[in-house]
Amino acid sequence: MIKKFDKKDEESGSGSNPFQHLEKSAVLQEARIFNETPINPRRCLHILTKIIYLLNQGEHFGTTEATEAFFAMTRLFQSNDQTLRRMCYLTIKEMANISEDVIIVTSSLTKDMTGKEDVYRGPAIRALCRITDTTMLQAIERYMKQAIVDKVPSVSSSALVSSLHMVKMSYDVVKRWVNEAQEAASSDNIMVQYHALGLLYHLRKNDRLAVSKMLNKFTKSGLKSPFAYCMLIRIASKLLEETEGGHDSPLFDFIESCLRNKNEMVVYEAASAIVHMPTCSARELAPAVSVLQLFCSSPKAALRYAAVRTLNKVAMKHPSAVTACNLDLENLITDSNRSIATLAITTLLKTGSESSVDRLMKQISSFVSEISDEFKVVVVQAISSLCQKYPRKHSVMMNFLSNMLRDDGGFEYKRAIVDCIIGIIEENPESKETGLAHLCEFIEDCEHTVLATKILHLLGKEGPRTPAPSKYIRFIFNRVVLESEAVRAAAVSALAKFGAQNDDLLPSVLVLMQRCMMDSDDEVRDRATFYMNVLQQKQKALNAAYIFNGLSVSVPGLEKSLHQYTLDPSERPFDMKSVPLATTPISEQKSATSKMPEKMAPSRQDIYQEQLAAILEFQGLGPLFKSSEAVQLTEAETEYVVRCVKHTFAQHMVFQFDCGGVTVCVCVCVSQVGV
Amino acid sequence: MDSMSMEPSLYTVKALFILDNDGNRLLSKYYDPELYPSMKEQNNFEKNVFNKTHKADNEIAFLEGMTVVYKSSIDLFFYVVGSPQENELMLMSVLNCLFDSLTQILSSCAGCHGNRCGSNAGGWGKNVERRYLLENMEGVFLVVDEIIDGGVILESDPQQVLQKVNYKSDESPLSEQSVAQVIQSAKDQIKWSILK
């Protein structure tokens, strides 16, 4: 009898891992004993365990060695040792993707699946379905159907769950088993009910009427399984949402009745579903909210977390509905679980009054260093909406935010704070100086180029208009000396703006620019030289054109026009007027906490330009000058709706007709038509 | 954290893993093919989750955009991961089933190891220890396989899981094996010795 451990493993104490120094080649070598007879179950079991452990650790098995090991493992089916057989099933599943010819075990598995040993049948089904393809599936179809309605719950569950996995691969075959699944749904076993319901829904989900009928049946017949109830609640909510059903529908009544279910999981699911419904009145929310309020004082952390997370959602749309829970939420601020505490605070920030803001901010600052980055961002976003709600509290907020800026944190976190501060500055002119001062302090030690350049840009914009602009110059110039190229370039641009707006500062700025002209990076030198020349002219119009106003044309449009110009060189200099103006981006992103403040969304016109350029016939037309808005050519009620977009090129017009999913483009040469 | 409504689905568990005291992986299953498909990403995720949870000892956390429920025991950490909109109590039921099933299996083994590690002979509590987990890895693999299949909760009752796995430690003396198994193995031995 081979002992499981070496003596030395045992002696080295509990720090050792018997699997630690496993070598794949050694283990595969050992696997050769699978071919020996008689089969030693204990030894073989141990080797299989090692193989699976290695796979789990990410060890790579080549196809040949995997196939060899797999084939050797199939010999172990001769043994009747239960654990060994179960491990064989597991090995089959684990190696299904890396070994070839795995279907050789099909007959053994089919035998086990229909055999007398109940303990084997479920796992054998699951292993078999893992290696089955569409053709094979038809061959074992009748076994699957029998298994689904089998009286042994584990067999039925295994068959139902495996059927679900195979829906993606062979929807048409599995769909034929709907009746069996329906029968299985009337089982007493709580897991079988759940699995049957799940499979039925996945098979029917595109047929709203069928889903509706199924729901009606199950909500009346009263299932026992809490998992099945949760599933039903989700199906019901989805159906309500899709049909935009009113809240006097029996579906809503069903969900509401689940608030009184014995199982907490179901109660919570129901409350969560009600809260997430897009149109819910305060009265309808009330019972859900009171249930959540009770959960806030549960001894189970998961329940408190779930409750407070959901109340947080309610507070976004119906803050008044949550006010009743304020006391319970305040108790949660000191919860040992920091996620719960954070959610409690952010919820209170949404529902609290102006007077409670100070107290809340103090409480947050005491623990914000302990929570994870994701939560820090959540807190900052809550503060940002609070700032918009109570503009008079901006000084408290600003203090708090600047402290957070000084602490450690990731990029997303710092960016959220910077955006928040910028938001406050834009809303409250009184807070401008404090805000800018905090930001200056931040860029002294900021590792994120994106943020530094953003702040420098802001300083350039706002700084010159403050009463004492000179103090910002020091901060900006320090950046020129110390930082990376991108930041230095941004600093130069910012400096230029100060020079352009403040005549008394101009001499100092020019001196600084001179120094920048010696920079090691060409972008920095170019900008410095350019601005020097513009500033030295001392003309307001030039300053306005080149320093203050940014590019008024769309950047992708400019790129395309320049590209076009280089392809077709001519004596004429490049004309900026030929570039289409920047049209409004598709997604307006004005909010301070927008997710993509740096990137400008491609405008509609740019997208059209790309699409048209991709068409061979239209490539010779030149750059797109302008695209019109889509014009409806038919009435909205007609069966087919046709819209037309007119694209104007230098000498051609392209009419784009959109009808349903089809688009037809007609190109007309304008110079020939007498327009 | 968005407020999209959940698409009804049986696929509720995204991942499950067991780590030791140093954050090393002992067992881990990822059921969502889009979630951390490479080994490197998985290891990274496990490391991050471990760093944020092994000191705290709270049951639930929101990390890397996922809800993570966890439990620790002496020198092991058990994690179940789900999407942020998932029902947290459902995830907890999986975690509890896993923990309770393993506790049962591994404490019954600890009893027969009593003569090897004398210190544990008497007060063996309901706690799972790394050493016994590793010694009975096949049992652990089978338990996990019985609880979740491809991301679907297969079984939530630890008693049912144990019945289906029917695992017995190999170091147990002869009396622990069923009589039928002993007779069978004796028959096999005789059969092969005759045929040789």
Side-chain angles (χ1 to χ4, degrees):
Chain A
M1 185 73 150
I2 295 218
K3 280 203 112 176
K4 255 194 175 161
F5 304 111
D6 288 332
K7 262 292 181 180
K8 57 177 191 289
D9 274 330
E10 202 183 314
E11 281 160 358
S12 54
S14 61
S16 70
N17 176 346
F19 297 96
Q20 194 145 20
H21 303 290
L22 280 183
E23 257 202 70
K24 178 186 68 171
S25 40
V27 172
L28 288 176
Q29 186 88 323
E30 281 185 71
R32 302 226 176 129
I33 71 154
F34 294 168
N35 295 310
E36 287 173 13
T37 52
I39 291 172
N40 183 326
R42 294 286 143 240
R43 254 182 92 187
C44 295
L45 189 57
H46 192 50
I47 297 170
L48 268 187
T49 310
K50 288 200 271 199
I51 292 178
I52 295 189
Y53 186 88
L54 281 171
L55 282 168
N56 200 239
Q57 290 288 325
E59 182 77 42
H60 174 72
F61 280 57
T63 315
T64 322
E65 52 188 2
T67 311
E68 267 176 28
F70 188 88
F71 272 62
M73 179 269 300
T74 58
R75 313 260 355 236
L76 299 175
F77 270 77
Q78 290 171 26
S79 162
N80 279 327
D81 183 285
Q82 272 189 19
T83 313
L84 183 61
R85 181 68 59 91
R86 295 290 316 270
M87 284 300 277
C88 286
Y89 297 147
L90 208 56
T91 315
I92 292 171
K93 289 200 279 190
E94 296 289 320
M95 297 187 93
N97 286 338
I98 56 175
S99 164
E100 287 175 330
D101 301 325
V102 288
I103 55 171
I104 60 161
V105 286
T106 305
S107 56
S108 307
L109 289 174
T110 317
K111 195 165 125 220
D112 282 353
M113 167 181 167
T114 49
K116 284 200 222 87
E117 298 262 17
D118 282 344
V119 140
Y120 290 159
R121 294 173 63 206
I125 293 173
R126 292 190 282 132
L128 182 58
C129 292
R130 190 75 179 70
I131 60 171
T132 298
D133 61 23
T134 314
T135 19
M136 266 173 55
L137 187 58
Q138 310 212 27
I140 58 166
E141 188 168 353
R142 69 188 164 98
Y143 298 127
M144 287 300 292
K145 286 164 100 165
Q146 282 169 0
I148 289 177
V149 295
D150 197 286
K151 291 291 163 243
V152 177
S154 69
V155 174
S156 179
S157 275
S158 301
L160 288 163
V161 174
S162 302
S163 306
L164 180 65
H165 293 323
M166 293 191 295
V167 163
K168 263 194 285 274
M169 176 184 80
S170 313
Y171 175 80
D172 293 322
V173 177
V174 181
K175 184 123 176 79
R176 303 201 282 252
W177 309 344
V178 143
N179 291 332
E180 281 75 16
Q182 187 78 41
E183 197 185 313
S186 48
S187 152
D188 282 334
N189 181 291
I190 63 170
M191 295 314 291
V192 174
Q193 282 180 4
Y194 173 57
H195 299 142
L197 180 62
L199 180 64
L200 284 170
Y201 176 72
H202 275 271
L203 288 175
R204 287 175 171 155
K205 65 182 173 185
N206 291 323
D207 180 351
R208 204 178 284 168
L209 192 59
V211 172
S212 190
K213 269 165 68 178
M214 186 176 78
L215 263 185
N216 268 335
K217 175 168 183 291
F218 285 124
T219 52
K220 288 196 185 77
S221 70
L223 300 168
K224 285 193 308 176
S225 163
F227 292 99
Y229 265 106
C230 289
M231 187 73 182
L232 279 177
I233 291 172
R234 288 189 198 175
I235 299 174
S237 338
K238 182 138 204 284
L239 206 59
L240 268 178
E241 196 186 310
E242 281 179 354
T243 60
E244 287 168 31
H247 292 176
D248 46 357
S249 121
L251 289 177
F252 184 81
D253 292 337
F254 164 69
I255 299 179
E256 211 253 350
S257 70
C258 289
L259 287 175
R260 296 181 282 280
N261 190 289
K262 280 180 293 176
N263 189 306
E264 286 171 330
M265 187 167 71
V266 178
V267 174
Y268 171 65
E269 187 74 45
S272 179
I274 293 177
V275 157
H276 283 104
M277 278 181 201
T279 53
C280 227
S281 71
R283 200 172 57 87
E284 283 155 350
L285 281 175
V289 170
S290 50
V291 143
L292 294 171
Q293 187 179 1
L294 277 171
F295 284 165
C296 284
S297 31
S298 159
K300 295 191 221 170
L303 207 44
R304 295 197 304 272
Y305 175 86
V308 86
R309 177 175 79 84
T310 318
L311 282 173
N312 196 327
K313 295 266 163 66
V314 180
M316 284 193 214
K317 283 190 292 186
H318 303 267
S320 47
V322 183
T323 343
C325 308
N326 275 0
L327 199 56
D328 305 86
L329 288 171
E330 287 193 22
N331 285 337
L332 288 179
I333 295 180
T334 46
D335 195 297
S336 56
N337 184 314
R338 281 333 189 177
S339 311
I340 295 178
T342 312
L343 283 167
I345 287 215
T346 50
T347 313
L348 283 168
L349 282 173
K350 289 182 183 116
T351 63
S353 60
E354 199 167 342
S355 50
S356 57
V357 167
D358 290 26
R359 194 176 74 232
L360 282 175
M361 298 307 273
K362 256 206 220 63
Q363 278 165 325
I364 301 181
S365 42
S366 64
F367 76 67
V368 88
S369 51
E370 295 170 27
I371 57 181
S372 65
D373 257 24
E374 280 109 350
F375 276 115
K376 287 191 187 155
V377 174
V378 168
V379 171
V380 173
Q381 286 170 344
I383 293 174
S384 152
S385 35
L386 199 68
C387 294
Q388 288 171 3
K389 213 163 122 193
Y390 302 123
R392 287 185 299 185
K393 287 286 174 186
H394 66 83
S395 47
V396 174
M397 306 293 198
M398 195 72 92
N399 261 339
F400 180 66
L401 288 166
S402 64
N403 283 334
M404 283 169 95
L405 256 191
R406 287 191 199 108
D407 290 332
D408 294 325
F411 171 65
E412 289 299 330
Y413 172 55
K414 295 289 168 88
R415 178 164 73 176
I417 303 178
V418 167
D419 287 341
C420 190
I421 294 181
I422 295 179
I424 300 180
I425 293 178
E426 283 172 1
E427 296 279 326
N428 291 304
E430 315 159 356
S431 63
K432 193 164 19 158
E433 295 232 23
T434 347
L436 291 177
H438 288 312
L439 290 175
C440 283
E441 188 196 325
F442 175 57
I443 56 174
E444 300 249 287
D445 190 19
C446 170
E447 56 198 45
H448 306 290
T449 314
V450 167
L451 293 178
T453 50
K454 184 174 181 158
I455 293 174
L456 283 168
H457 182 81
L458 180 74
L459 283 175
K461 202 171 92 178
E462 302 285 341
R465 294 187 270 179
T466 59
S470 52
K471 62 181 173 197
Y472 298 115
I473 303 226
R474 173 170 63 87
F475 283 105
I476 301 178
F477 190 66
N478 279 345
R479 305 281 65 72
V480 172
V481 174
L482 298 167
E483 300 281 2
S484 67
E485 302 80 49
V487 179
R488 296 204 299 271
V492 167
S493 301
L495 274 179
K497 295 204 173 91
F498 277 86
Q501 252 200 328
N502 304 86
D503 292 328
D504 40 327
L505 289 174
L506 185 57
S508 327
V509 169
L510 286 174
V511 169
L512 295 175
M513 280 298 180
Q514 195 96 31
R515 292 206 218 151
C516 296
M517 281 166 67
M518 306 296 176
D519 194 281
S520 55
D521 178 68
D522 32 342
E523 171 73 27
V524 180
R525 286 200 306 274
D526 284 347
R527 286 196 194 191
T529 317
F530 175 68
Y531 289 131
M532 265 290 275
N533 283 313
V534 172
L535 287 170
Q536 278 169 337
Q537 310 279 343
K538 294 201 180 132
Q539 288 185 36
K540 285 255 179 285
L542 280 180
N543 288 354
Y546 295 119
I547 300 183
F548 292 127
N549 299 330
L551 226 44
S552 58
V553 297
S554 86
V555 177
L558 178 62
E559 190 187 335
K560 248 203 141 38
S561 300
L562 282 170
H563 182 62
Q564 202 73 29
Y565 182 76
T566 56
L567 290 177
D568 184 26
S570 76
E571 293 293 318
R572 284 186 297 118
F574 178 73
D575 185 5
M576 274 293 264
K577 292 203 183 59
S578 70
V579 183
L581 291 174
T583 51
T584 336
I586 285 182
S587 42
E588 278 275 43
Q589 293 173 347
K590 281 190 82 172
S591 64
T593 53
S594 66
K595 292 211 191 305
M596 304 194 300
E598 269 76 72
K599 211 167 101 168
M600 188 162 109
S603 70
R604 225 176 108 258
Q605 181 143 318
D606 296 327
I607 292 179
Y608 281 138
Q609 189 154 332
E610 291 288 327
Q611 290 176 331
L612 289 167
I615 303 172
L616 199 58
E617 286 84 346
F618 296 152
Q619 274 171 1
L621 298 182
L624 174 63
F625 180 63
K626 191 165 161 53
S627 297
S628 76
E629 295 293 323
V631 175
Q632 298 271 25
L633 296 180
T634 57
E635 289 176 356
E637 298 86 42
T638 54
E639 196 183 333
Y640 291 103
V641 176
V642 183
R643 301 183 319 165
C644 178
V645 180
K646 294 176 278 206
H647 305 286
T648 312
F649 289 85
Q651 291 186 339
H652 296 81
M653 283 212 50
V654 174
F655 297 91
Q656 175 187 338
F657 300 95
D658 292 316
C659 175
V662 178
T663 303
V664 177
C665 286
V666 178
C667 177
V668 178
C669 185
V670 167
S671 57
Q672 286 173 359
V673 176
V675 178
Chain B
M1 294 200 213
D2 61 332
S3 54
M4 247 175 35
S5 62
M6 277 294 282
E7 164 74 21
S9 165
L10 287 188
Y11 294 101
T12 48
V13 180
K14 296 237 175 223
L16 179 155
F17 44 92
I18 305 179
L19 306 179
D20 71 6
N21 242 349
D22 302 314
N24 297 318
R25 168 195 287 201
L26 296 177
L27 179 152
S28 98
K29 302 286 291 171
Y30 286 79
Y31 301 109
D32 182 351
E34 286 168 34
L35 179 72
Y36 307 125
S38 77
M39 190 55 61
K40 188 153 162 251
E41 289 170 297
Q42 288 177 10
N43 284 331
N44 237 4
F45 178 59
E46 285 158 29
K47 196 158 60 110
N48 286 339
V49 169
F50 180 75
N51 285 337
K52 296 216 170 91
T53 54
H54 74 279
K55 286 176 292 199
D57 197 33
N58 298 301
E59 326 184 311
I60 183 165
F62 176 71
L63 300 164
E64 296 206 20
M66 299 275 146
T67 301
V68 180
V69 296
Y70 59 99
K71 218 166 184 150
S72 68
S73 161
I74 302 185
D75 52 2
L76 291 172
F77 290 84
F78 302 83
Y79 299 89
V80 175
V81 179
S83 103
Q85 296 107 307
E86 194 54 70
N87 185 323
E88 290 86 349
L89 296 184
M90 214 182 259
L91 297 174
M92 282 305 292
S93 73
V94 171
L95 181 69
N96 288 332
C97 181
L98 175 70
F99 191 80
D100 293 341
S101 313
L102 288 179
T103 308
Q104 298 261 34
I105 285 194
L106 301 179
S107 17
S108 66
C109 297
C112 54
H113 284 312
N115 55 352
R116 272 214 293 181
C117 45
S119 55
N120 260 345
W124 177 248
K126 282 260 173 198
N127 276 318
V128 184
E129 211 181 306
R130 174 180 177 268
R131 181 152 55 137
Y132 301 128
L133 186 108
L134 286 170
E135 285 176 15
N136 296 284
M137 207 59 201
E138 55 271 3
V140 181
F141 282 132
L142 291 176
V143 160
V144 171
D145 185 55
E146 278 300 333
I147 299 180
I148 314 236
D149 183 286
V152 178
I153 304 175
L154 199 55
E155 182 54 69
S156 61
D157 178 2
Q159 292 310 316
Q160 291 292 324
V161 173
L162 291 169
Q163 249 183 41
K164 290 184 213 175
V165 169
N166 201 15
Y167 174 74
K168 294 173 188 62
S169 158
D170 64 325
E171 296 289 341
S172 52
L174 218 50
S175 58
E176 294 253 336
Q177 286 177 318
S178 74
V179 177
Q181 280 183 309
V182 174
I183 295 178
Q184 184 62 37
S185 64
K187 271 194 198 163
D188 284 338
Q189 299 275 18
I190 297 173
K191 186 164 58 160
W192 288 111
S193 65
I194 292 177
L195 287 175
K196 260 201 203 156

